Amino acid sequence: MVPDAIPALKAQQPGKDVLVEQPAYDLIELFFFAYRDFVSDPDRILDEYGFGRAHHRVLHFVSRQPGLTIAELLDILRITKQSLNRVLKELIEKDFIESRMGTSDRRQRLLFATSKGHDLALKLAKLQTRRIMRALSDMDPEAKETVSRYLLSLIDPDDNAHVKQLVFGPKKT
């Protein structure tokens, strides 16, 4: 049973921090379990290639934004250059991503998913979309918008506009 209200939270005012009397263990644990299952289908497929979740994230964003620079990808993923280099090297060596020289700045490296990389990214996205749509199918038609607003509100306020632009803004061509 899902509670109508969570007594651990005090009244919230828009734009203000929420005061917490006790941790919302139920929601925290639901997030843990939802994330576990959300990534489980892609994890099984990625394992066949010797890839992990870091590979998935890189492949996802490079496939969605062809021509993404390494600096932009680092900003999106918030990982170290060292971590990215290891994952990117594997994806390039196995022909899932290619790195091209920038047109205006030859020092810049632009990242593109190969057709093989795009196909894998699409396959993983479809698996996760199926899970999301199944969850939304039992809800009101407005649920997708509500869930989107909720997820955006979980993102740090100073990064919210940037994430909105990445998710909802025009894609690179």
Side-chain angles (χ1 to χ4, degrees):
M1 180 173 119
V2 178
D4 291 330
I6 297 164
L9 301 180
K10 290 187 178 181
Q12 177 181 351
Q13 297 176 11
K16 302 287 182 184
D17 285 335
V18 176
L19 300 175
V20 177
E21 291 177 4
Q22 293 184 21
Y25 289 121
D26 54 346
L27 294 179
I28 292 167
E29 291 168 6
L30 285 171
F31 262 100
F32 285 139
F33 290 121
Y35 179 73
R36 177 198 67 191
D37 292 350
F38 180 71
V39 297
S40 67
D41 298 326
D43 281 351
R44 282 190 288 279
I45 291 169
L46 290 162
D47 190 51
E48 295 171 16
Y49 297 93
F51 293 158
R53 292 179 187 165
H55 296 84
H56 183 190
R57 288 188 296 273
V58 169
L59 190 56
H60 174 86
F61 285 105
V62 170
S63 181
R64 291 277 294 146
Q65 298 186 47
L68 196 64
T69 67
I70 289 177
E72 291 169 327
L73 187 56
L74 285 168
D75 186 50
I76 289 168
L77 299 176
R78 292 190 180 171
I79 60 174
T80 65
K81 212 176 208 181
Q82 184 178 359
S83 296
L84 177 60
N85 285 339
R86 180 189 60 78
V87 169
L88 198 52
K89 182 179 180 209
E90 290 179 56
L91 288 166
I92 290 170
E93 285 175 354
K94 293 184 178 182
D95 195 35
F96 287 88
I97 289 181
E98 64 181 4
S99 174
R100 300 180 195 160
M101 193 179 315
T103 52
S104 60
D105 182 350
R106 298 173 66 79
R107 296 169 299 173
Q108 196 173 47
R109 306 307 298 165
L110 306 178
L111 303 173
F112 296 86
T114 63
S115 59
K116 180 177 163 180
H118 178 73
D119 290 347
L120 178 57
L122 186 59
K123 181 177 183 177
L124 300 174
K126 285 182 176 181
L127 282 172
Q128 291 180 314
T129 299
R130 187 176 307 130
R131 186 175 290 275
I132 290 168
M133 298 314 288
R134 187 181 71 225
L136 290 173
S137 69
D138 292 334
M139 298 180 186
D140 295 330
E142 303 83 28
K144 184 175 187 272
E145 175 64 28
T146 302
V147 171
S148 291
R149 281 195 330 268
Y150 174 72
L151 292 172
L152 276 168
S153 70
L154 287 174
I155 296 165
D156 288 339
D158 61 337
D159 199 30
N160 202 282
H162 180 237
V163 170
K164 280 182 187 177
Q165 177 61 30
L166 285 170
V167 175
F168 303 112
K171 302 297 173 223
K172 291 182 175 188
T173 55

